[in-house]
Amino acid sequence: MKIKKILVSQPKPASEKSPYYDIATKHNVEIVFRPMIKVEGLTAKEFRQQKINLADFTAVIFTSRTAVDNFFRLCEECRVSVPDTMRYFCTTEQIALYLQKYIVYRKRKISYGTTGKLNDSQFLASVQKNHKEKFLFPMSDIQTDGTEALSNLKIDFTPAVMYRTVSNDFTPDEPFDYDLIIFFSPAGIDSLLKNFPDFGKDGKQPMCIGAFGPATTQAVKDAGLRLDIEAPTPATPSMTAALDAFLTKSENA
């Protein structure tokens, strides 16, 4: 199949130096950036159904900027004033710095890890040092990052779903004329099948599929679809490397 138009199911890169632009020029293909999923926050009414009192907590664990945004939004909507004594534990420095959008950074007690994972040793050491706090853990409805590391610390923490991942549906007049779609999460596959229920049925897969990460790869296979590009692999550690290799091979076939 000649690849001319590619859908990358992620937001458009902020930098013009993205490898995707180099690939588009090198292989003379059109690359469209369009997320297949989007995040929406729970309403205050929906959040209250979890019977979690935001005022009870003395510390918050953040694993993303989305978690930060929805925590402070729900506090406002639930009319809960975040005290100056609140402690914040972030999995990266970038998330910690993002807190400046809502608080005066220098006056708060903020800790962060280096790897972005909950099992990061520096992050866990900070949490363990403050084990007497009552922790809130804002998360999505499809949180995949396990909380075993927190449980092993035997701290008092409460997971709280504050936002959900939903399908970013195609409109009736939106073209779906791609030769290749690249996915980055199982939720993206769910969105594809929600929008196009007959996709891949009876062996009729109208376009190639690429998947990044083992969970996404498995979701493609579980859906009975053909996987044409898989990343990361030893030979292609990034999706852009895998895409470049795939297009080169296609052109030389």
Side-chain angles (χ1 to χ4, degrees), residues 53 59 79 99 110 153 215:
N53 183 6
R79 299 180 181 180
L99 284 169
I110 301 172
L153 293 180

Tab-separated table of all heavy atoms in Angstrom, residues 53 59 79 99 110 153 215:
chain	number	residue	atom	x	y	z
A	53	ASN	N	-14.193	13.778	50.988
A	53	ASN	CA	-14.188	15.157	51.478
A	53	ASN	C	-12.801	15.760	51.266
A	53	ASN	O	-11.831	15.397	51.947
A	53	ASN	CB	-14.564	15.192	52.959
A	53	ASN	CG	-14.650	16.606	53.487
A	53	ASN	OD1	-14.531	17.577	52.727
A	53	ASN	ND2	-14.848	16.756	54.782
A	59	ALA	N	-2.161	16.399	52.135
A	59	ALA	CA	-1.149	16.271	51.081
A	59	ALA	C	-1.807	15.744	49.809
A	59	ALA	O	-2.824	15.046	49.862
A	59	ALA	CB	-0.025	15.334	51.517
A	79	ARG	N	-16.216	24.350	46.748
A	79	ARG	CA	-16.061	25.413	47.752
A	79	ARG	C	-15.174	24.984	48.912
A	79	ARG	O	-15.473	25.228	50.087
A	79	ARG	CB	-17.431	25.871	48.250
A	79	ARG	CG	-18.299	26.454	47.132
A	79	ARG	CD	-19.641	26.898	47.646
A	79	ARG	NE	-20.458	27.438	46.544
A	79	ARG	CZ	-21.698	27.902	46.696
A	79	ARG	NH1	-22.264	27.866	47.904
A	79	ARG	NH2	-22.364	28.367	45.665
A	99	LEU	N	2.599	23.897	39.307
A	99	LEU	CA	1.781	24.312	40.451
A	99	LEU	C	1.763	25.829	40.618
A	99	LEU	O	0.860	26.381	41.255
A	99	LEU	CB	2.304	23.661	41.737
A	99	LEU	CG	1.970	22.180	41.936
A	99	LEU	CD1	2.780	21.610	43.093
A	99	LEU	CD2	0.485	21.992	42.176
A	110	ILE	N	6.893	21.483	48.527
A	110	ILE	CA	6.707	20.699	47.315
A	110	ILE	C	7.890	19.762	47.110
A	110	ILE	O	9.042	20.170	47.206
A	110	ILE	CB	6.565	21.619	46.092
A	110	ILE	CG1	5.366	22.565	46.282
A	110	ILE	CG2	6.393	20.800	44.817
A	110	ILE	CD1	5.262	23.633	45.219
A	153	LEU	N	4.245	1.453	51.097
A	153	LEU	CA	4.739	2.397	52.100
A	153	LEU	C	3.849	2.428	53.337
A	153	LEU	O	4.216	3.005	54.357
A	153	LEU	CB	4.806	3.815	51.502
A	153	LEU	CG	5.829	4.059	50.402
A	153	LEU	CD1	5.749	5.505	49.931
A	153	LEU	CD2	7.236	3.741	50.870
A	215	ALA	N	0.818	-2.130	25.836
A	215	ALA	CA	-0.625	-2.140	26.090
A	215	ALA	C	-1.401	-1.780	24.830
A	215	ALA	O	-2.436	-2.393	24.530
A	215	ALA	CB	-0.967	-1.162	27.215
